[in-house]
């Protein structure tokens, strides 16, 4: 029987420590780095200091999606702990992937409709390059 998870956050602490010290796994690349707000100082901001103001409704929708995804992940963890059948776990994993894709689509649509349109109107053409780069990362 597989070793059961304890539910502690040792792995999370290890990841945060490696981000704080700048250590990365050899297979990681700079392109795979994801900002972690809890390890970024207040005056640095995340990912270059840019922020996006969102309406309360948009925040609510995004947080609700993330909460559902978080619940799905916990469900998968429980399935692993209970030694569930591999195809059943994979089915749930595929559902999480689909949910993350839906989250990304919604966030990207909002970004294009608001941030990108605003920046182009203001003459910030580098926003298009940033958008292309972001799309390339999403399509890996």
């Amino acid at each position: 029987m597989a070793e059961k998870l304890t539910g502690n956050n040792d792995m999370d602490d290890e990841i945060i420590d490696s981000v704080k010290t700048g250590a990365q796994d050899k297979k990681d690349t700079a392109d795979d780095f994801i900002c972690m707000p809890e390890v970024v100082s207040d005056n640095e901001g995340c990912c270059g200091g840019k922020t996006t103001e969102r309406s309360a409704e948009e925040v609510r929708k995004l947080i609700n999606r993330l909460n559902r995804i978080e619940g799905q992940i916990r469900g998968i963890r429980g399935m692993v702990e209970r030694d569930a059948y591999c195809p059943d776990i994979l089915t749930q994993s595929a559902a999480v992937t689909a949910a993350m894709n839906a989250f990304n689509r919604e966030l990207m649509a909002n970004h294009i409709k608001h941030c990108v349109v605003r920046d182009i109107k203001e003459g910030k053409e580098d926003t298009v390059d940033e958008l292309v780069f972001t799309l390339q990362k999403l399509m890996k």
Side-chain angles (χ1 to χ4, degrees):
M1 183 143 128
E3 180 181 342
K4 301 296 179 190
L5 298 175
T6 62
N8 65 23
N9 292 329
D10 290 342
M11 180 62 105
D12 295 338
D13 293 341
E14 187 177 311
I15 292 169
I16 290 171
D17 288 343
S18 70
V19 171
K20 284 180 181 177
T21 61
Q24 286 187 321
D25 194 346
K26 291 178 186 171
K27 66 182 176 191
D28 290 343
T29 66
D31 289 343
D32 294 330
F33 180 75
I34 297 173
C35 290
M36 298 176 65
E38 58 273 358
V39 297
V40 176
S41 70
D42 291 338
N43 60 354
E44 262 179 18
C46 184
C47 299
K50 290 184 178 182
T51 61
T52 300
E53 290 188 31
R54 294 179 180 84
S55 69
E57 180 65 12
E58 183 180 354
V59 169
R60 185 189 64 75
K61 284 181 178 180
L62 292 171
I63 295 298
N64 284 343
R65 279 186 183 272
L66 291 171
N67 286 340
R68 284 192 299 272
I69 293 166
E70 184 179 13
Q72 288 176 297
I73 297 291
R74 282 194 304 270
I76 292 170
R77 174 183 274 179
M79 292 175 77
V80 170
E81 290 173 341
R82 292 186 305 275
D83 296 326
Y85 189 53
C86 296
D88 294 340
I89 297 171
L90 290 167
T91 299
Q92 293 306 311
S93 178
V96 169
T97 299
M100 280 304 306
N101 287 338
F103 173 84
N104 289 339
R105 279 191 305 273
E106 183 173 342
L107 189 61
M108 181 60 71
N110 290 335
H111 177 62
I112 292 169
K113 290 176 184 176
H114 302 287
C115 304
V116 173
V117 168
R118 178 201 62 224
D119 286 356
I120 289 173
K121 285 179 180 178
E122 293 175 0
K124 299 177 183 174
E125 294 181 17
D126 61 325
T127 298
V128 174
D129 294 333
E130 179 184 69
L131 177 61
V132 169
F133 179 74
T134 301
L135 288 169
Q136 289 171 339
K137 289 176 78 169
L138 284 173
M139 293 180 183
K140 276 188 175 181

